[in-house]
Amino acid sequence: MMRAENHEQRYYHFIWVASSVKSDVYFMQKNISEIENVMKNAYQLNQSLQSSASSPQNQAMALSIARDVHEIKKDYQNVMRGLGDYFDDGQNGPMQLADILKVTLTYIRSAIREKHQDIIIDVHSDVDLVIPNHYYVVSILSNLIFNSVDALAGQPHGLIHVTVADNDTTILLNVSDNGSGISPETLALIFHPGFTTKFNEATGDVYRGIGLSHVQKIVQDIFNGHIQVSSVPHQETNFQVTLNKHRLSQEVSA
């Protein structure tokens, strides 16, 4: 029994880590086109400087930028290829939604116990669905639930509700909590790229996590869905995610 439990925990950890890595790789792939644009612009600048008889130093600098960005692109591609090979090792089969919830919540509940937080996670799902791209669903769920955990820091009797419901052609996923809530000013910014309220005030380092802007991109790009949020400061916050059921149940090429 102990061996079986240990194996299960290792499997959960693998799914958790793989979900985080695959989400990061997805956005690295998205960044490749931006890197290519920088490289193209730097090369065009070099050509423009040559035609305008600009100084050789400026021409050389523009060409050097293009070459450096090209090397960055190659390094990006090597990292993505290596991570892809490592995590596509035959354990990437589809998962039942019930198992996705189990993996995610087991890991989060373990983190809550380690922090000695007074939080209960209540889960209700009436959806029976097999999901090929389960790593992205784990990433969506984990980020939203950990946001709720953070909102309940230091608060007694914290409660997080997670519900999943079948709405014919869509799957509705709700994550709500009775935590600190979100101010209207912050609410207007939470899906903006790069925005975060989670950072170390002493060092300025941003805490780990793909962020809500990336969660929104996964919801939209991978599952043809959308995400909404409502909040009452010092009372509650609710995230509602609508996912296309057809996209959920089929392998989607990212």
Side-chain angles (χ1 to χ4, degrees):
M1 288 178 62
M2 291 177 63
R3 284 198 299 270
E5 182 178 352
N6 184 260
H7 176 76
E8 185 178 63
Q9 291 299 323
R10 287 202 306 271
Y11 176 68
Y12 288 178
H13 183 70
F14 173 84
I15 294 294
W16 184 270
V17 172
S19 298
S20 177
V21 170
K22 282 180 175 289
S23 295
D24 286 339
V25 169
Y26 175 75
F27 290 108
M28 290 174 72
Q29 291 171 334
K30 292 283 188 182
N31 287 341
I32 285 292
S33 61
E34 296 180 12
I35 291 173
E36 289 175 341
N37 284 336
V38 173
M39 181 174 63
K40 177 182 176 181
N41 290 339
Y43 181 75
Q44 290 179 341
L45 176 61
N46 169 263
Q47 298 298 303
S48 176
L49 291 172
Q50 287 184 18
S51 63
S52 63
S54 179
S55 69
Q57 292 85 353
N58 289 339
Q59 296 176 32
M61 182 180 296
L63 187 60
S64 176
I65 291 172
R67 288 171 178 166
D68 290 343
V69 172
H70 178 67
E71 291 303 313
I72 292 171
K73 176 187 172 183
K74 289 199 301 182
D75 290 342
Y76 244 61
Q77 291 173 324
N78 288 335
V79 169
M80 289 188 297
R81 190 178 301 112
L83 291 174
D85 291 344
Y86 183 79
F87 285 100
D88 288 336
D89 61 354
Q91 301 191 57
N92 194 23
M95 288 182 69
Q96 290 278 353
L97 179 59
D99 292 329
I100 294 173
L101 287 167
K102 183 179 180 182
V103 167
T104 306
L105 294 169
T106 297
Y107 199 92
I108 293 175
R109 283 171 174 146
S110 176
I112 289 172
R113 285 194 299 270
E114 289 179 3
K115 295 181 179 179
H116 306 288
Q117 289 180 270
D118 181 15
I119 298 174
I120 294 175
I121 303 179
D122 175 59
V123 183
H124 177 73
S125 173
D126 58 4
V127 178
D128 182 17
L129 191 66
V130 176
I131 301 177
N133 288 295
H134 55 84
Y135 290 115
Y136 295 121
V137 178
V138 171
S139 189
I140 293 168
L141 277 167
S142 61
N143 276 274
L144 294 181
I145 298 174
F146 264 128
N147 277 345
S148 290
V149 171
D150 291 340
L152 293 165
Q155 178 175 318
H157 312 302
L159 180 61
I160 300 172
H161 287 290
V162 179
T163 63
V164 187
D166 192 324
N167 190 31
D168 193 19
T169 60
T170 59
I171 298 297
L172 302 180
L173 167 64
N174 276 279
V175 177
S176 62
D177 63 73
N178 62 340
S180 57
I182 306 172
S183 70
E185 295 78 13
T186 300
L187 204 62
L189 298 171
I190 59 173
F191 293 119
H192 288 200
F195 178 79
T196 182
T197 60
K198 301 174 184 179
F199 60 91
N200 187 311
E201 293 184 0
T203 65
D205 292 338
V206 175
Y207 294 148
R208 182 69 176 88
I210 66 171
L212 287 172
S213 66
H214 284 177
V215 171
Q216 184 183 57
K217 289 292 290 182
I218 289 175
V219 168
Q220 293 174 342
D221 295 352
I222 302 296
F223 299 117
N224 194 27
H226 59 271
I227 181 171
Q228 297 175 301
V229 57
S230 60
S231 184
V232 179
H234 312 297
Q235 291 187 33
E236 63 180 6
T237 298
N238 180 69
F239 282 91
Q240 183 183 75
V241 181
T242 303
L243 304 173
N244 182 284
K245 189 194 293 186
H246 181 71
R247 292 286 290 268
L248 268 173
S249 59
Q250 291 195 348
E251 186 71 38
V252 177
S253 176

